[in-house]
Amino acid sequence: MPTKTTKKKSEQPTPKPMKRLVSGIKPTGQLTLGNYIGALKQFVKLQDELIDTEFFIFIADLHAITTPQERQELKKNIRSVAAVYLACGLDPEKVNLFIQSEVNEHAVLGYIMESTAYIGEMERMTQYKDKKVKQTEGIRTSLMTYPALMAADILLYDADIVPIGDDQKQHLELTRNLATRFNHLYGDTFVVPEGFFPETGARIMSLSEPSKKMDKSNENAKSYIMLLDDLGTVRNKIKSAVTDSDGFIKYDVKKKPGISNLLTIYSSLTDIPIKELEKQYKDKSYSAFKTDLGEVVADALRPIQQRYFEYINNPRLDEILDQGAERAKLIASRKIQKVFKKMGLGRVK
Ligand code: ATP
Ligand code: LTN
């Protein structure tokens, strides 16, 4: 009879190191359908697909203060974003969920990244140029240096994968350059990360101005759908979304940005390919299409809203955030020690 032989530990193949995934969302307001489709929905999908990957997902509160924030509002938004993450299906067993400012190493490595990057690189960032002109109380220095902090967020954890929306591509490219530059200057220290972009829905556009991105900090409430908007409001906002006058349901971003955006939303939430939707709605009116889409969005948001209210005032939320921060700190503090050593900072041997 064949006997089962157990290999000695030293003979066993060393386990493949886990990969790491990092991403964050700023708590600058309530999250929108753009954040859900472009980011949250992807995180949830990836957590089930990438079983060999450890997830670090955080609430980027240090990024939020690059523009003025009211203290109480910020506090509320931080908690709310955490509850929304969980309500969207992030599993705390698989994901380290934490608040960025609770892991000091982000700010420390952020400063080191500022000392790796050049001012010209920061000034070239499109998001900086867009946001700069909107500031009414003076432009905070951190609004410009923000991509250095984002690079730090990613490099602290040796992230292999960074799932982000299209608007963050330029920041990721800068992160890759900074990692490469640092490695070249001080010896191999950081993993050069890859971006991961959703196939559909990497850029959900404003409902009122479909040439612009749906943004939670837009002044016009009709331009976005909040994940926590009541469902009647959601249906109305979709009904009043700007389209065109030719009445034909077809995906054409250049000529028909409004209807193309609605098709993208429909397809992202149902996984029905856009081509299929075009066939299905060939002889239908915009109004009928919008009514159906209103139901699709309401169906997606209903369970999220239910779960949100289960989490928001629950002490379990704090336990999850504590656990996430503890694990993040462990990895981040080791990395900082390594960086200090490479650069000759402090007394690290
Ligand atoms: P703000 O309006 O304050 O700049 P934001 O919504 O653009 O905020 P975040 O909340 O930090 O920025 O975005 C979190 C994630 O959501 C990022 O990965 C971003 O690319 C993605 N995202 C944001 N808006 C959209 C959108 N309209 N379509 C697709 N993805 C989006
Ligand atoms: N800059 C991003 C939010 C963000 C982020 C990150 C995303 C901050 N740090 C690290 C991915 C990885 C934004 O404005 N959407």
Side-chain angles (χ1 to χ4, degrees), residues 22-26 28 35 39 43 56 58-61 63 100 106 127 131 146-147 149-155 159 161-165 167-168 171-172 175 213 216:
V22 169
S23 202
I25 296 192
K26 277 180 290 182
T28 38
N35 294 128
F43 302 163
F56 292 84
F58 63 92
I59 297 130
D61 56 347
H63 287 269
Q100 183 189 29
H106 285 252
Q127 196 178 59
K131 295 213 162 174
Y146 153 111
L149 181 58
M150 175 159 165
D153 298 337
I154 297 168
L155 302 178
I161 315 164
V162 184
I164 36 176
D167 59 321
Q168 297 301 314
H171 294 157
L172 187 78
T175 303
K213 171 175 112 94
K216 55 171 129 66

Side-chain angles (χ1 to χ4, degrees), residues 6-22:
T6 355
K7 277 188 184 170
K8 268 196 273 162
K9 215 165 188 206
S10 56
E11 290 167 12
Q12 284 171 7
T14 42
K16 205 166 145 273
M18 291 275 274
K19 284 192 177 168
R20 302 230 180 96
L21 175 149
V22 169

Side-chain angles (χ1 to χ4, degrees), residues 205-213 218 220 223 242:
M205 309 311 271
S206 151
L207 298 180
S208 52
E209 284 174 277
S211 58
K212 293 195 182 144
K213 171 175 112 94
N218 194 300
N220 178 6
S223 70
V242 168

Side-chain angles (χ1 to χ4, degrees), residues 23-40 43 60 63-64 67 69 81 85 127 131 134 146 150 163-169 197-198 201-206 212-218 261:
S23 202
I25 296 192
K26 277 180 290 182
T28 38
Q30 296 271 327
L31 298 188
T32 67
L33 191 63
N35 294 128
Y36 176 65
I37 294 174
L40 290 158
F43 302 163
H63 287 269
T67 55
Q69 303 295 327
V81 170
Y85 271 130
Q127 196 178 59
K131 295 213 162 174
K134 291 188 192 150
Y146 153 111
M150 175 159 165
I164 36 176
D166 255 8
D167 59 321
Q168 297 301 314
K169 247 184 199 161
F197 305 92
R203 187 175 284 253
I204 301 298
M205 309 311 271
S206 151
K212 293 195 182 144
K213 171 175 112 94
M214 182 183 285
D215 232 337
K216 55 171 129 66
S217 14
N218 194 300
N261 187 38

